[in-house]
PDB file of all heavy atoms in Angstrom:
ATOM      1  N   VAL A   1      75.277  94.410 122.160  1.00  0.00           N
ATOM      2  CA  VAL A   1      75.530  95.797 122.266  1.00  0.00           C
ATOM      3  C   VAL A   1      76.992  96.163 122.552  1.00  0.00           C
ATOM      4  O   VAL A   1      77.607  97.083 121.972  1.00  0.00           O
ATOM      5  CB  VAL A   1      74.650  96.473 123.285  1.00  0.00           C
ATOM      6  CG1 VAL A   1      74.948  97.971 123.518  1.00  0.00           C
ATOM      7  CG2 VAL A   1      73.145  96.284 122.875  1.00  0.00           C
ATOM      8  N   ALA A   2      77.571  95.350 123.483  1.00  0.00           N
ATOM      9  CA  ALA A   2      78.919  95.541 123.814  1.00  0.00           C
ATOM     10  C   ALA A   2      79.894  95.313 122.643  1.00  0.00           C
ATOM     11  O   ALA A   2      80.958  95.931 122.551  1.00  0.00           O
ATOM     12  CB  ALA A   2      79.355  94.532 124.939  1.00  0.00           C
ATOM     13  N   MET A   3      79.435  94.430 121.653  1.00  0.00           N
ATOM     14  CA  MET A   3      80.272  94.125 120.451  1.00  0.00           C
ATOM     15  C   MET A   3      80.030  95.243 119.364  1.00  0.00           C
ATOM     16  O   MET A   3      80.577  95.115 118.315  1.00  0.00           O
ATOM     17  CB  MET A   3      79.973  92.885 119.967  1.00  0.00           C
ATOM     18  CG  MET A   3      80.502  91.642 120.812  1.00  0.00           C
ATOM     19  SD  MET A   3      80.127  90.009 120.152  1.00  0.00           S
ATOM     20  CE  MET A   3      80.979  88.979 121.265  1.00  0.00           C
ATOM     21  N   GLY A   4      79.210  96.304 119.625  1.00  0.00           N
ATOM     22  CA  GLY A   4      78.929  97.262 118.646  1.00  0.00           C
ATOM     23  C   GLY A   4      77.704  97.158 117.914  1.00  0.00           C
ATOM     24  O   GLY A   4      77.480  97.794 116.942  1.00  0.00           O
ATOM     25  N   GLY A   5      76.797  96.312 118.477  1.00  0.00           N
ATOM     26  CA  GLY A   5      75.475  96.110 117.808  1.00  0.00           C
ATOM     27  C   GLY A   5      74.377  96.682 118.474  1.00  0.00           C
ATOM     28  O   GLY A   5      74.499  97.664 119.173  1.00  0.00           O
ATOM     29  N   THR A   6      73.153  96.134 118.207  1.00  0.00           N
ATOM     30  CA  THR A   6      71.876  96.672 118.768  1.00  0.00           C
ATOM     31  C   THR A   6      71.090  95.528 119.330  1.00  0.00           C
ATOM     32  O   THR A   6      71.281  94.412 119.090  1.00  0.00           O
ATOM     33  CB  THR A   6      71.096  97.401 117.709  1.00  0.00           C
ATOM     34  OG1 THR A   6      70.714  96.436 116.632  1.00  0.00           O
ATOM     35  CG2 THR A   6      71.880  98.497 117.023  1.00  0.00           C
ATOM     36  N   VAL A   7      69.992  95.902 120.070  1.00  0.00           N
ATOM     37  CA  VAL A   7      69.224  94.956 120.816  1.00  0.00           C
ATOM     38  C   VAL A   7      68.141  94.355 119.934  1.00  0.00           C
ATOM     39  O   VAL A   7      67.491  93.362 120.253  1.00  0.00           O
ATOM     40  CB  VAL A   7      68.581  95.519 122.006  1.00  0.00           C
ATOM     41  CG1 VAL A   7      69.630  95.835 123.022  1.00  0.00           C
ATOM     42  CG2 VAL A   7      67.647  96.642 121.796  1.00  0.00           C
ATOM     43  N   THR A   8      67.918  94.909 118.684  1.00  0.00           N
ATOM     44  CA  THR A   8      66.937  94.330 117.753  1.00  0.00           C
ATOM     45  C   THR A   8      67.376  94.637 116.280  1.00  0.00           C
ATOM     46  O   THR A   8      67.815  95.754 116.040  1.00  0.00           O
ATOM     47  CB  THR A   8      65.497  94.862 118.013  1.00  0.00           C
ATOM     48  OG1 THR A   8      64.595  94.131 117.152  1.00  0.00           O
ATOM     49  CG2 THR A   8      65.423  96.302 117.922  1.00  0.00           C
ATOM     50  N   GLY A   9      67.081  93.700 115.494  1.00  0.00           N
ATOM     51  CA  GLY A   9      67.249  93.890 114.069  1.00  0.00           C
ATOM     52  C   GLY A   9      65.954  94.081 113.256  1.00  0.00           C
ATOM     53  O   GLY A   9      65.835  94.913 112.456  1.00  0.00           O
ATOM     54  N   GLU A  10      65.028  93.171 113.542  1.00  0.00           N
ATOM     55  CA  GLU A  10      63.790  93.134 112.720  1.00  0.00           C
ATOM     56  C   GLU A  10      62.608  92.713 113.524  1.00  0.00           C
ATOM     57  O   GLU A  10      61.461  92.849 113.113  1.00  0.00           O
ATOM     58  CB  GLU A  10      63.923  92.309 111.408  1.00  0.00           C
ATOM     59  CG  GLU A  10      64.270  90.899 111.748  1.00  0.00           C
ATOM     60  CD  GLU A  10      64.193  90.007 110.472  1.00  0.00           C
ATOM     61  OE1 GLU A  10      63.504  90.382 109.568  1.00  0.00           O
ATOM     62  OE2 GLU A  10      64.789  88.932 110.493  1.00  0.00           O
ATOM     63  N   HIS A  11      62.831  92.084 114.763  1.00  0.00           N
ATOM     64  CA  HIS A  11      61.613  91.529 115.450  1.00  0.00           C
ATOM     65  C   HIS A  11      60.971  92.624 116.369  1.00  0.00           C
ATOM     66  O   HIS A  11      59.908  92.409 116.881  1.00  0.00           O
ATOM     67  CB  HIS A  11      62.071  90.307 116.375  1.00  0.00           C
ATOM     68  CG  HIS A  11      62.382  89.116 115.532  1.00  0.00           C
ATOM     69  ND1 HIS A  11      62.836  88.001 116.069  1.00  0.00           N
ATOM     70  CD2 HIS A  11      62.299  88.960 114.216  1.00  0.00           C
ATOM     71  CE1 HIS A  11      63.108  87.051 115.145  1.00  0.00           C
ATOM     72  NE2 HIS A  11      62.742  87.662 113.979  1.00  0.00           N
ATOM     73  N   GLY A  12      61.698  93.698 116.618  1.00  0.00           N
ATOM     74  CA  GLY A  12      61.142  94.710 117.439  1.00  0.00           C
ATOM     75  C   GLY A  12      61.421  94.510 118.954  1.00  0.00           C
ATOM     76  O   GLY A  12      62.051  93.536 119.352  1.00  0.00           O
ATOM     77  N   VAL A  13      61.085  95.499 119.760  1.00  0.00           N
ATOM     78  CA  VAL A  13      61.328  95.523 121.153  1.00  0.00           C
ATOM     79  C   VAL A  13      60.151  94.928 121.836  1.00  0.00           C
ATOM     80  O   VAL A  13      60.292  94.079 122.727  1.00  0.00           O
ATOM     81  CB  VAL A  13      61.530  97.043 121.661  1.00  0.00           C
ATOM     82  CG1 VAL A  13      61.704  96.951 123.214  1.00  0.00           C
ATOM     83  CG2 VAL A  13      62.854  97.577 121.039  1.00  0.00           C
ATOM     84  N   GLY A  14      58.901  95.348 121.546  1.00  0.00           N
ATOM     85  CA  GLY A  14      57.729  94.865 122.256  1.00  0.00           C
ATOM     86  C   GLY A  14      57.843  94.869 123.741  1.00  0.00           C
ATOM     87  O   GLY A  14      58.144  95.897 124.300  1.00  0.00           O
ATOM     88  N   VAL A  15      57.515  93.724 124.360  1.00  0.00           N
ATOM     89  CA  VAL A  15      57.711  93.664 125.801  1.00  0.00           C
ATOM     90  C   VAL A  15      58.955  92.872 126.117  1.00  0.00           C
ATOM     91  O   VAL A  15      59.469  93.005 127.235  1.00  0.00           O
ATOM     92  CB  VAL A  15      56.440  92.960 126.479  1.00  0.00           C
ATOM     93  CG1 VAL A  15      55.272  93.775 126.292  1.00  0.00           C
ATOM     94  CG2 VAL A  15      56.255  91.508 125.955  1.00  0.00           C
ATOM     95  N   GLU A  16      59.422  92.108 125.170  1.00  0.00           N
ATOM     96  CA  GLU A  16      60.521  91.250 125.407  1.00  0.00           C
ATOM     97  C   GLU A  16      61.845  91.946 125.716  1.00  0.00           C
ATOM     98  O   GLU A  16      62.580  91.518 126.632  1.00  0.00           O
ATOM     99  CB  GLU A  16      60.787  90.300 124.263  1.00  0.00           C
ATOM    100  CG  GLU A  16      62.009  89.448 124.208  1.00  0.00           C
ATOM    101  CD  GLU A  16      62.412  88.882 122.822  1.00  0.00           C
ATOM    102  OE1 GLU A  16      62.313  89.661 121.851  1.00  0.00           O
ATOM    103  OE2 GLU A  16      62.816  87.743 122.773  1.00  0.00           O
ATOM    104  N   LYS A  17      62.056  93.030 125.024  1.00  0.00           N
ATOM    105  CA  LYS A  17      63.385  93.665 125.112  1.00  0.00           C
ATOM    106  C   LYS A  17      63.349  95.079 125.950  1.00  0.00           C
ATOM    107  O   LYS A  17      64.324  95.879 125.815  1.00  0.00           O
ATOM    108  CB  LYS A  17      64.047  93.965 123.794  1.00  0.00           C
ATOM    109  CG  LYS A  17      64.140  92.635 122.879  1.00  0.00           C
ATOM    110  CD  LYS A  17      64.866  92.937 121.624  1.00  0.00           C
ATOM    111  CE  LYS A  17      64.961  91.753 120.679  1.00  0.00           C
ATOM    112  NZ  LYS A  17      63.704  91.439 120.003  1.00  0.00           N
ATOM    113  N   LEU A  18      62.347  95.253 126.696  1.00  0.00           N
ATOM    114  CA  LEU A  18      62.229  96.531 127.396  1.00  0.00           C
ATOM    115  C   LEU A  18      63.462  96.816 128.320  1.00  0.00           C
ATOM    116  O   LEU A  18      64.042  97.860 128.308  1.00  0.00           O
ATOM    117  CB  LEU A  18      60.915  96.556 128.233  1.00  0.00           C
ATOM    118  CG  LEU A  18      59.707  96.937 127.543  1.00  0.00           C
ATOM    119  CD1 LEU A  18      58.442  96.791 128.470  1.00  0.00           C
ATOM    120  CD2 LEU A  18      59.816  98.467 127.101  1.00  0.00           C
ATOM    121  N   ASN A  19      63.847  95.669 129.037  1.00  0.00           N
ATOM    122  CA  ASN A  19      65.071  95.881 129.956  1.00  0.00           C
ATOM    123  C   ASN A  19      66.277  96.153 129.145  1.00  0.00           C
ATOM    124  O   ASN A  19      67.128  96.919 129.518  1.00  0.00           O
ATOM    125  CB  ASN A  19      65.172  94.592 130.815  1.00  0.00           C
ATOM    126  CG  ASN A  19      64.116  94.538 131.864  1.00  0.00           C
ATOM    127  OD1 ASN A  19      63.469  95.539 132.237  1.00  0.00           O
ATOM    128  ND2 ASN A  19      63.876  93.327 132.407  1.00  0.00           N
ATOM    129  N   SER A  20      66.382  95.519 128.007  1.00  0.00           N
ATOM    130  CA  SER A  20      67.598  95.671 127.263  1.00  0.00           C
ATOM    131  C   SER A  20      67.705  97.077 126.640  1.00  0.00           C
ATOM    132  O   SER A  20      68.776  97.497 126.305  1.00  0.00           O
ATOM    133  CB  SER A  20      67.667  94.583 126.112  1.00  0.00           C
ATOM    134  OG  SER A  20      67.638  93.315 126.617  1.00  0.00           O
ATOM    135  N   MET A  21      66.578  97.708 126.419  1.00  0.00           N
ATOM    136  CA  MET A  21      66.623  99.090 125.927  1.00  0.00           C
ATOM    137  C   MET A  21      67.349 100.000 127.026  1.00  0.00           C
ATOM    138  O   MET A  21      68.040 100.902 126.632  1.00  0.00           O
ATOM    139  CB  MET A  21      65.222  99.713 125.710  1.00  0.00           C
ATOM    140  CG  MET A  21      64.578  99.083 124.588  1.00  0.00           C
ATOM    141  SD  MET A  21      65.147  99.668 123.010  1.00  0.00           S
ATOM    142  CE  MET A  21      64.431 101.273 122.931  1.00  0.00           C
ATOM    143  N   CYS A  22      67.241  99.556 128.290  1.00  0.00           N
ATOM    144  CA  CYS A  22      67.925 100.304 129.345  1.00  0.00           C
ATOM    145  C   CYS A  22      69.438 100.247 129.194  1.00  0.00           C
ATOM    146  O   CYS A  22      70.191 101.000 129.652  1.00  0.00           O
ATOM    147  CB  CYS A  22      67.464  99.852 130.738  1.00  0.00           C
ATOM    148  SG  CYS A  22      65.681  99.967 130.982  1.00  0.00           S
ATOM    149  N   VAL A  23      69.847  99.086 128.595  1.00  0.00           N
ATOM    150  CA  VAL A  23      71.337  98.868 128.428  1.00  0.00           C
ATOM    151  C   VAL A  23      71.848  99.708 127.302  1.00  0.00           C
ATOM    152  O   VAL A  23      72.987 100.210 127.432  1.00  0.00           O
ATOM    153  CB  VAL A  23      71.616  97.364 128.212  1.00  0.00           C
ATOM    154  CG1 VAL A  23      73.050  97.142 127.857  1.00  0.00           C
ATOM    155  CG2 VAL A  23      71.194  96.543 129.532  1.00  0.00           C
ATOM    156  N   GLN A  24      71.136  99.837 126.233  1.00  0.00           N
ATOM    157  CA  GLN A  24      71.637 100.453 125.056  1.00  0.00           C
ATOM    158  C   GLN A  24      71.468 101.976 124.968  1.00  0.00           C
ATOM    159  O   GLN A  24      72.338 102.641 124.524  1.00  0.00           O
ATOM    160  CB  GLN A  24      71.003  99.842 123.762  1.00  0.00           C
ATOM    161  CG  GLN A  24      71.492 100.538 122.488  1.00  0.00           C
ATOM    162  CD  GLN A  24      71.207  99.694 121.265  1.00  0.00           C
ATOM    163  OE1 GLN A  24      70.486  98.667 121.308  1.00  0.00           O
ATOM    164  NE2 GLN A  24      71.661 100.146 120.094  1.00  0.00           N
ATOM    165  N   PHE A  25      70.365 102.459 125.518  1.00  0.00           N
ATOM    166  CA  PHE A  25      70.068 103.837 125.329  1.00  0.00           C
ATOM    167  C   PHE A  25      70.089 104.682 126.607  1.00  0.00           C
ATOM    168  O   PHE A  25      69.706 104.126 127.700  1.00  0.00           O
ATOM    169  CB  PHE A  25      68.623 104.041 124.624  1.00  0.00           C
ATOM    170  CG  PHE A  25      68.601 103.478 123.278  1.00  0.00           C
ATOM    171  CD1 PHE A  25      67.986 102.236 123.021  1.00  0.00           C
ATOM    172  CD2 PHE A  25      69.203 104.101 122.217  1.00  0.00           C
ATOM    173  CE1 PHE A  25      67.944 101.734 121.816  1.00  0.00           C
ATOM    174  CE2 PHE A  25      69.111 103.591 120.937  1.00  0.00           C
ATOM    175  CZ  PHE A  25      68.544 102.469 120.711  1.00  0.00           C
TER     176      PHE A  25
END
């Protein structure tokens, strides 16, 4: 995200990336 990207491309957020959503949005 810091490099200008996103926390997911095609695998989805599910339960794995819940915390990382807090970083991006």
Side-chain angles (χ1 to χ4, degrees):
V1 174
M3 289 182 176
T6 64
V7 298
T8 184
E10 58 170 338
H11 291 175
V13 175
V15 297
E16 176 197 38
K17 302 186 183 81
L18 275 174
N19 289 338
S20 299
M21 289 286 285
C22 303
V23 171
Q24 180 164 4
F25 296 102

